[in-house]
Amino acid sequence: MASSTKYIFITGGVTSSLGKGIIAASLGKLLQARGFRVTIQKFDPYLNIDPGTLNPYEHGECYVTDDGAETDLDLGHYERFLNIPTSQDNNITTGRIYNNVITKERKGEFLGKTVQVIPHITDEIKANFYKLGEDGKVDVVITEIGGCVGDIESLPFIEAVRQAKWDLGPNNFLVIHLTLIPYLKAAKELKTKPTQHSVKQLLEAGIQPDILVCRTEYHLPSDVKKKLALFCNVQLNNVIEAMDADSIYDVPLLMKKEKLDERVMTKLKLSSKENTDLENWKDFLGKLKNPTQEVTIGLVGKYVSLPDAYKSIIESFTHAGASIECDVNLRLISSEELNSDNIIQKLTDLDGIVVAPGFGERGFEGKIETVKYARENNIPFLGICLGMQVAVIEYARNVLNLKDANSTEMDPKTSNPVIGLMEEQKNIDQMGGTMRLGSYACDLKKGSKAYQAYGKSKIQERHRHRYEFNNEYLKEMESNGMIATGTNPETGLVEIVEIKSHPWFVGVQFHPEYKSTVLTPQPLFVRFIQAAVDKKIK
């Protein structure tokens, strides 16, 4: 454990979904802007080894890192805010902790001891707390503890945080508690009692929060702040107001105004290396809030009733739109509701269409109809992962006249499997962590739309899929106008398809959205939005 590394823990109380991830990312951004090297990790209290097997409706999207870890969507926020990659070590679940301990027990590593929650589970949690700070590459490790204080499943994590204070010493350890101050309309009052109870639960677990960050719809009057300080045993200037913001990207500046970074630095005895440099961030916000043009993009998928299922895609449009001062009005459309009878009515006023990633056949035919509409009507199109596969299947059916063309995922017995299972996937019976995951190389054809977007011929993008373009159909596809413009140099697998005769039609097997950040918008999204703008002007 590197003694020079400082550790910040963020817990949540009263209710979940208060935005611990955004507060963690915002604080990380402010410390980073002062010259500190920062990383953020998320501990999730559920028993799944990782969120890879979870339905997006359970937990939002599954975010994938360069090293192929399937992680919580908060890691997407960390990368988008800090502009640095995360890894397998940045997201730990209860499932992984117990799995590690049980594996050690089976190997006899505990020398015949009785294996217990304390000390064995808590020691494993602490080892993972400290892992990112051990190599001396970061000054500050921010650890977000998922769930709510008081949840049974969070108890071992909270106990590990308590122990960490004694391991690290008071100037290397800090706890921020994120809480809610509800407003009762009938009484016209802000209420502190839920926060008092939440802090009391933390105190019962042996943890005194150093800073309270209070989510609120209204400004906190000084008497409310004083009450919180008194009853929660927190210094008055460490009661931080976190008002609801128009955009998550406003939060770093709001937290700077509230001096969250200064309070943290005082407690951790960190002396700032430089003044906070947030000029690029302010520039981005200026463009985001003052667009000079507007487009309407349809995002067609099957999880549209929960926008978090497409979090990275939605944020990619925010970054790319701002970079060309364009307001992207994103319309989420359920592919299950689309068919050949209503497709024109549902998609008629769109300037561009995205077909989203996904698994399984629910809503699949609606996606086929969507691609057909975009192709035949020259509407700018971007297909991501399954979206690219749908584009290939639609082209095979309606241009190559292979009427039963399909993916073996949807129809294992199809006589024209234009999309099939990769060879190494055929004997896999375990679901978790067994897909093609993480960063892979792709070579781009010069002159293609993808090459024009990236401005280079070699790229690296992240993947999360089992099925691939079947190269046996490549010649026939290319001679009929659908070209493979991106391929993996080692395997020859098709990564990108484009239609030559279409103004902007690109399907990608990878997930470009995972690498989009505030300061480096994803090139394909930028070009796609520009194509939508050009179509609208025409």
Side-chain angles (χ1 to χ4, degrees), residues 186-260:
K188 294 188 170 54
E189 264 187 308
L190 285 160
K191 288 296 183 186
T192 65
K193 191 62 77 179
T195 295
Q196 291 178 47
H197 280 299
S198 177
V199 171
K200 191 175 169 214
Q201 283 198 294
L202 258 186
L203 287 166
E204 282 174 3
I207 296 172
Q208 167 64 57
D210 300 289
I211 295 173
L212 284 185
V213 176
C214 306
R215 280 297 304 274
T216 172
E217 294 174 27
Y218 299 89
H219 283 293
L220 299 180
S222 62
D223 62 322
V224 170
K225 282 191 170 183
K226 281 177 186 165
K227 192 173 178 184
L228 284 163
L230 179 64
F231 289 117
C232 298
N233 206 22
V234 171
Q235 285 183 2
L236 182 58
N237 63 5
N238 284 347
V239 178
I240 304 279
E241 171 186 287
M243 285 275 288
D244 291 358
D246 293 337
S247 155
I248 59 172
Y249 301 109
D250 286 321
V251 178
L253 298 182
L254 293 172
M255 289 300 100
K256 180 169 170 51
K257 198 174 162 192
E258 282 285 304
K259 300 190 170 147
L260 176 61

Side-chain angles (χ1 to χ4, degrees), residues 14 30 37 40 81 159 178 221 265 295 306 326 343 352 375 435 454 467 490 518 535:
V14 184
L30 294 177
R37 298 165 303 164
I40 314 180
F81 276 60
E159 168 59 18
L178 181 63
M265 287 165 60
V295 290
L306 181 76
C326 180
I343 198 89
R375 178 176 62 78
M435 287 183 276
Y454 285 97
Y467 294 80
E490 288 170 21
V518 168
K535 175 195 172 286

